[in-house]
């Protein structure tokens, strides 16, 4: 049997129907995440299908002695590369028109990686603390194709090995052993905080391909009884449906969390090998099969269009807008399937290596375009001078000490992070303690303290709230060392007799483990008690314990808690730069709907109030009272952004706003305790 005959000997419309189910789940999840929270398992269904089909081709041609390496990879390249390159280049071109340098550099990196089918490796790298989040990357979805192509490189060689001599008889058992090892590895990584690595890499996803592969290897004979096939198909559909509604982005995944969807897909594939059961009628329906045929192109188009449309809108897309993007994606998918996918797939197969050599160089196009955008840091030269100056605020209008006191890999020398009064001053000292939001407010605290002849010491660490006894993990990594940082910070600061005031500032809502749907920059954070791993803390109690620690060790030291800074639905500097560049309306950048921001901030404010209420020597100030009024939250004042991204105050914004908050808090401390000793 020739390889092309093996590939096309039996057309199964139910498999195209299963592809339709998978791509519909993915598109609905991305466009309407609340409607289908587990829709991301559509990718897992695709992996099972690919494993079955590719393994069937490999085994049948190997066993028939007609396998051709060149023919195999020629068909894979024709199937994948043309549409892949087209959509990637269109997405990069649109991004170069729409995105500002910070985002465009990330898109360039993804394009370059996609040219090597390494988008998954890039996606698995934990981003820098202030880097654009993965969800803003219009080429993020190419990670799954990277995993699939890597499987296509490894699996044919393993099948060749397992087809030799006595290994052929043990082929299915060895494939099962590989499946089990991959699943165990995935679950172990997920359980130990390595979920990001498990999600994006082939070794922890291989078991999903093998779930289909072992069926093609004959692990179970095709069902001979229509009733058995029907029961298997019904169970498969139910397993996938359960995954679609029961899982969400916080679920432990892939590991055991992916088993129901993959098992469901495998049951559907297996059921379709026998007499067609009634349960597969929906998957065989012509409209569903038609959607399955364009599923590859639809998968390629939908994500960049959703991401770039949201970037243009500079706010969450409305339901009608999302429906419009989905309709455009389907239309482009039909055109791409008809005029790109089909013509390339029908080409001749003689001299496969020579023909393969004509197709693979197409991958150099996204590689070169992406490398150029990445190496030029997002090609800022394309912007007008005024737009470029606005875009630059994201990296220039920040705490001048950020690199030394916050971004440094090793803890900074405490004396280098003391500002305001001269190093030899014996005046009072203020400690600003917290995460990146503490680093952001420090310039404003320095202005306020400097007016009193006081100094300011900054102690800020990304993803570490100013709370004692907590373990924090971010981006699926292990403990960030926040408890040790808190102990070290308080030990050093409370031993200094000059310390008069501790300012606690943080992105408080982040530590409720509830990232906002509208904020694609929000990192995924999990918090538990250091003394009871796995136990989710009461954050109000954690703040109370922290304030108790300060009061017990230095009763005269006061504490001021800066509540959550409103988290916007856009980044004002980038928004203003984009509007300037594209001729849009800058007023859309100045003020956003207060609803999402307050819904995010108010629960955190409530537990801060509970911790500081009726407490001597402690007050809290709430930035939402200043920035969110009359149904809107302000990001631009007098034409200048007061944020450098969507949730951190800019240095100029902090200098403008924080001194007033400090005055308000200090005045209330005065009123409750009397005039502080040593105030000048």
């Amino acid at each position: 049997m020739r390889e092309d005959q093996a590939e096309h000997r039996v057309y199964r419309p139910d498999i195209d129907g299963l592809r339709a189910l998978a791509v519909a789940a993915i598109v609905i999840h991305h466009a309407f995440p609340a409607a289908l929270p587990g829709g991301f398992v559509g990718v897992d269904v695709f992996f099972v299908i690919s494993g079955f089909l590719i393994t069937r081709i490999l085994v049948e041609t190997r066993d028939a002695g007609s396998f051709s390496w060149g023919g195999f990879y020629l068909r894979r390249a024709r199937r994948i590369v043309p549409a892949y390159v087209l959509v990637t280049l269109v997405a990069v071109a649109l991004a170069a028109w729409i995105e500002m340098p910070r985002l465009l550099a990330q898109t360039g990196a993804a394009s370059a990686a996609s040219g090597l089918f390494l988008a998954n490796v890039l996606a698995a790298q934990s981003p820098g603390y202030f880097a654009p989040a993965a969800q803003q990357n219009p080429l993020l979805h190419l990670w799954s194709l990277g995993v699939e192509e890597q499987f296509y490189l490894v699996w044919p060689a393993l099948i060749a090995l397992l087809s030799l001599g006595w290994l052929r008889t043990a082929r299915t058992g060895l494939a099962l052993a590989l499946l089990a090892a991959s699943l165990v590895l995935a679950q172990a990584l997920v359980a130990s905080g390595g979920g990001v690595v498990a999600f994006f890499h082939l070794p922890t996803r291989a078991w999903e391909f093998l779930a289909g592969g072992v069926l093609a290897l004959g692990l179970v004979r095709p069902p001979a009884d229509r009733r058995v096939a029907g029961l298997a198909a019904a169970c498969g559909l139910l397993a996938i449906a359960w995954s679609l509604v029961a899982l969400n982005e916080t679920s432990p995944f892939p590991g055991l969390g992916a088993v129901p969807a993959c098992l469901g897909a495998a049951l559907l594939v297996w059921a379709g090998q026998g007499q067609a059961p009634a349960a597969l009628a929906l998957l065989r329906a012509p409209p569903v099969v038609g959607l399955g045929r364009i599923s590859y192109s639809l998968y390629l188009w939908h994500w960049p269009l959703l991401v770039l449309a949201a970037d243009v809108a500079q706010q969450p897309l409305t339901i009608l807008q999302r429906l419009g993007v989905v309709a455009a994606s389907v239309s482009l998918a039909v055109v791409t399937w008809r005029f790109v996918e089909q013509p390339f797939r029908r080409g001749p197969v003689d001299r496969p290596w020579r023909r393969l050599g004509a197709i693979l160089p197409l991958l150099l196009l996204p590689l070169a375009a992406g490398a150029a955008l990445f190496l030029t840091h997002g090609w800022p030269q394309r912007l007008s001078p005024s737009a470029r100056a606005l875009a630059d605020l994201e990296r220039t209008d920040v705490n001048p000490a950020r690199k030394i006191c916050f971004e440094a890999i090793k803890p900074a020398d405490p004396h280098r992070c003391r500002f305001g009064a001269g190093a030899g001053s014996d005046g009072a000292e203020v400690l600003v303690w917290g995460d990146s939001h503490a680093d952001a407010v420090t310039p404003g605290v320095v202005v306020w303290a400097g007016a009193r002849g006081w100094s300011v010491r900054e102690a800020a660490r990304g993803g570490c709230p100013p709370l004692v006894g907590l373990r924090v993990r971010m981006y699926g990594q292990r403990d960030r060392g926040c408890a040790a940082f808190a102990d070290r910070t308080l030990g050093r600061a409370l031993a200094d007799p000059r310390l008069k005031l501790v300012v606690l500032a943080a992105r408080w809502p982040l530590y409720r483990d509830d990232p906002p749907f509208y904020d694609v920059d929000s990192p995924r954070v999990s918090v538990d008690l250091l003394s009871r791993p796995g136990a989710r803390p009461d954050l109000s109690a954690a703040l109370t314990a922290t304030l108790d620690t300060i009061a017990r060790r230095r009763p005269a030291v006061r504490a001021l808690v800066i509540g959550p800074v409103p988290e916007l639905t856009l980044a004002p500097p980038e928004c203003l730069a984009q509007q300037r560049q594209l001729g849009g309306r800058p007023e859309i950048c100045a003020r956003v709907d207060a609803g999402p921001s307050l819904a995010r901030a108010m629960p955190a404010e409530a537990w801060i109030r509970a911790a500081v209420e009726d407490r001597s020597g402690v007050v809290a100030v709430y930035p939402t009272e200043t920035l969110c009024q009359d149904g809107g939250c302000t990001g631009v004042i007098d034409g200048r952004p007061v944020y450098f991204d969507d949730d951190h105050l800019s240095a100029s914004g902090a200098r403008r706003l924080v001194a007033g908050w400090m005055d308000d808090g200090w005045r209330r401390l005065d009123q409750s305790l009397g005039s502080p000793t040593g105030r000048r």
Side-chain angles (χ1 to χ4, degrees):
M1 181 184 295
R2 294 202 339 259
E3 187 178 344
D4 56 336
Q5 292 175 329
E7 188 163 1
H8 300 102
R9 69 177 179 87
V10 178
Y11 171 64
R12 289 184 48 183
D14 60 295
I15 286 185
D16 268 335
L18 188 54
R19 287 190 176 112
L21 174 62
V23 79
I26 294 167
V27 172
I28 293 172
H29 171 69
H30 286 154
F32 308 99
L36 214 57
F40 53 84
V41 301
V43 171
D44 306 84
V45 173
F46 274 128
F47 286 168
V48 174
I49 296 171
S50 291
F52 172 76
L53 295 176
I54 293 304
T55 304
R56 186 180 68 177
I57 293 169
L58 291 170
V59 169
E60 291 182 352
T61 54
R62 277 281 173 198
D63 291 351
S66 60
F67 177 77
S68 161
W69 288 98
F72 175 80
Y73 285 115
L74 175 62
R75 287 176 176 80
R76 302 282 71 73
R78 283 176 168 172
R79 172 77 175 92
I80 291 169
V81 171
Y84 184 85
V85 170
L86 170 67
V87 176
T88 302
L89 290 178
V90 171
V92 168
L94 289 173
W97 173 54
I98 294 169
E99 291 182 340
M100 293 299 99
R102 180 180 72 116
L103 293 178
L104 188 58
Q106 174 185 262
T107 300
S111 177
S114 73
L116 299 171
F117 288 112
L118 293 174
N120 61 313
V121 177
L122 178 66
Q125 306 303 310
S126 295
Y129 194 79
F130 293 105
Q135 290 87 348
Q136 285 179 292
N137 178 359
L139 300 178
L140 173 66
H141 65 319
L142 300 184
W143 74 267
S144 64
L145 295 176
V147 173
E148 192 163 349
E149 289 307 300
Q150 290 157 26
F151 176 76
Y152 291 164
L153 289 175
V154 174
W155 189 230
L158 285 174
I159 287 290
L161 177 63
L162 296 177
S163 299
L164 296 176
W166 68 270
L167 288 174
R168 179 176 297 189
T169 60
R171 191 164 53 187
T172 304
L174 292 171
L176 272 174
L178 290 173
L179 184 157
S182 173
L183 177 56
V184 168
L185 175 62
Q187 181 59 29
L189 282 172
V190 169
S192 63
V196 172
V197 173
F199 191 92
F200 287 113
H201 283 299
L202 175 62
T204 46
R205 289 287 192 163
W207 70 271
E208 302 182 20
F209 294 95
L210 293 172
V214 293
L215 292 178
L217 287 169
L219 175 67
V220 184
R221 291 182 180 180
D225 189 314
R226 182 186 293 268
R227 289 172 300 178
V228 173
L231 178 61
C235 291
L237 288 171
L238 287 173
I240 294 174
W242 179 88
S243 297
L244 295 177
V245 298
L247 298 178
N248 57 55
E249 291 186 351
T250 66
S251 301
F253 200 86
L256 294 176
V259 167
C262 292
L263 180 60
L267 285 171
L268 287 166
V269 170
W270 178 73
Q273 287 180 302
Q275 295 182 351
L280 292 181
L282 177 62
L283 297 184
R284 294 174 180 270
V288 179
V289 171
L291 180 61
R293 288 182 174 179
I294 66 167
S295 60
Y296 176 55
S297 289
L298 178 56
Y299 180 79
L300 290 175
W301 280 114
H302 83 284
W303 179 253
L305 294 185
L306 282 169
V307 170
L308 294 172
D311 198 4
V312 170
Q314 285 294 321
Q315 57 188 321
L317 298 176
T318 66
I319 291 177
L320 286 178
Q321 288 170 332
R322 290 168 186 264
L323 287 171
V325 172
V326 170
S329 302
V330 173
S331 300
L332 287 170
V334 171
V335 172
T336 306
W337 176 81
R338 174 65 182 83
F339 295 106
V340 179
E341 285 193 61
Q342 291 304 299
F344 273 91
R345 293 186 72 178
R346 288 195 294 263
V349 295
D350 60 313
R351 296 179 296 178
W353 288 111
R354 180 177 297 182
R355 297 186 187 281
L356 188 63
I359 293 177
L360 291 183
L362 291 175
L363 294 169
L364 295 175
L365 298 175
L367 175 61
L373 294 177
F374 178 73
L375 294 174
T376 58
H377 305 288
W379 192 18
Q381 297 81 4
R382 71 201 153 91
L383 304 180
S384 67
S386 58
R388 185 173 178 179
L390 287 167
D392 282 346
L393 291 176
E394 182 270 335
R395 61 180 181 81
T396 59
D397 194 9
V398 299
N399 181 358
R402 189 171 86 176
K403 280 193 175 299
I404 296 173
C405 300
F406 179 76
E407 293 183 347
I409 297 176
K410 295 182 178 179
D413 179 350
H415 297 292
R416 298 182 67 188
C417 296
R418 187 170 184 261
F419 316 104
S425 169
D426 59 356
E429 184 166 284
V430 179
L431 170 68
V432 181
W433 172 31
D435 58 14
S436 60
H437 279 220
D439 175 76
V441 302
T442 295
V445 179
V446 169
V447 169
W448 178 83
R452 290 161 171 74
W454 295 358
S455 61
V456 175
R457 190 182 300 277
E458 176 183 345
R461 181 169 182 156
C464 285
L467 301 171
V468 298
L470 299 185
R471 183 177 70 166
V472 181
R473 293 186 294 177
M474 184 180 294
Y475 299 117
Q477 295 176 344
R478 292 177 175 80
D479 183 6
R480 295 182 62 79
C482 294
F485 178 73
D487 290 343
R488 187 168 59 249
T489 297
L490 286 182
R492 181 181 295 134
L494 296 177
D496 189 338
R498 295 171 297 181
L499 182 66
K500 183 175 291 291
L501 176 67
V502 177
V503 176
L504 298 90
R507 189 178 180 182
W508 300 106
L510 185 68
Y511 305 104
R512 296 178 63 241
D513 196 21
D514 183 26
F517 75 91
Y518 63 87
D519 181 5
V520 294
D521 273 333
S522 180
R524 272 31 179 187
V525 168
S526 61
V527 183
D528 58 5
L529 292 169
L530 191 65
S531 58
R532 294 171 54 204
R536 187 170 178 175
D538 177 332
L539 294 178
S540 184
L543 179 55
T544 298
T546 303
L547 296 172
D548 285 344
T549 300
I550 295 171
R552 184 173 59 252
R553 296 174 61 179
R554 287 287 302 277
V557 170
R558 312 226 182 138
L560 188 153
V561 181
I562 297 180
V565 170
E567 300 179 19
L568 307 181
T569 53
L570 52 80
E574 282 191 346
C575 180
L576 288 171
Q578 185 187 76
Q579 299 310 306
R580 184 71 57 86
Q581 182 70 12
L582 302 181
R585 299 181 298 113
E587 58 268 23
I588 70 173
C589 309
R591 189 173 170 82
V592 303
D593 177 19
S597 300
L598 291 180
R600 171 80 164 152
M602 290 180 71
E605 289 186 0
W607 59 258
I608 291 172
R609 292 180 197 275
V612 305
E613 189 176 14
D614 299 327
R615 189 179 186 104
S616 176
V618 179
V619 296
V621 295
Y622 300 100
T624 55
E625 295 175 355
T626 303
L627 293 170
C628 296
Q629 297 177 356
D630 301 323
C633 291
T634 299
V636 178
I637 299 176
D638 296 335
R640 178 139 184 123
V642 292
Y643 290 73
F644 71 75
D645 61 7
D646 60 349
D647 62 90
H648 295 85
L649 291 179
S650 62
S652 58
R655 295 183 185 110
R656 176 167 190 152
L657 297 168
V658 174
W661 302 339
M662 296 290 295
D663 276 337
D664 173 53
W666 192 253
R667 181 177 59 255
R668 286 190 282 128
L669 281 169
D670 271 355
Q671 291 170 353
S672 63
L673 295 175
S675 182
T677 342
R679 182 173 179 181
R680 306 283 194 273

